[in-house]
Amino acid sequence: MGSYVEKLQDPRWQKKRLEILQRDDFTCLGCRSKEKTLHVHHAYYKKNREPWEYEDITLFTVCEDCHILISQEL
């Protein structure tokens, strides 16, 4: 399959992403914002696994700002 960005356009990821956003009430779990642009963050990555193949408990909603902070800490 294509690049990671292309994989994020896949309907299977879009469905999983929406499920996680709904589960988290469209709220950043970091700063609790409902107003900022939201991302779904993977707690970890495994080689050869597609973005939509992770268990829901390993995915969580964060705003763009908190996502940057989390990524810098890794």
Side-chain angles (χ1 to χ4, degrees), residues 3 6-7 12-13 19-21 27 31-33 35 38-39 42 45-46 50-51 54 59 62-63 67-68 74:
S3 72
E6 290 172 328
K7 290 179 183 188
R12 293 167 289 186
W13 170 246
E19 290 169 357
I20 300 304
L21 290 168
T27 303
C31 69
R32 308 304 296 166
S33 175
E35 307 303 320
L38 297 174
H39 296 195
H42 289 78
Y45 289 99
K46 287 194 175 185
E50 300 297 346
Y54 290 81
L59 302 169
V62 292
C63 71
H67 204 192
I68 291 168
L74 299 176

Side-chain angles (χ1 to χ4, degrees), residues 7-73:
K7 290 179 183 188
L8 296 181
Q9 302 304 315
D10 187 287
R12 293 167 289 186
W13 170 246
Q14 291 298 314
K15 180 179 184 286
K16 173 75 97 171
R17 179 182 179 278
L18 182 58
E19 290 169 357
I20 300 304
L21 290 168
Q22 288 173 330
R23 178 200 70 195
D24 295 340
D25 194 30
F26 294 89
T27 303
C28 174
L29 298 182
C31 69
R32 308 304 296 166
S33 175
K34 288 182 175 258
E35 307 303 320
K36 297 179 183 178
T37 300
L38 297 174
H39 296 195
V40 173
H41 178 71
H42 289 78
Y44 63 87
Y45 289 99
K46 287 194 175 185
K47 189 175 182 177
N48 298 321
R49 189 176 285 190
E50 300 297 346
W52 52 87
E53 295 177 336
Y54 290 81
E55 294 180 18
D56 290 357
I57 62 169
T58 68
L59 302 169
F60 53 96
T61 302
V62 292
C63 71
E64 192 168 35
D65 295 335
C66 288
H67 204 192
I68 291 168
L69 290 174
I70 291 167
S71 298
Q72 289 174 344
E73 292 175 4

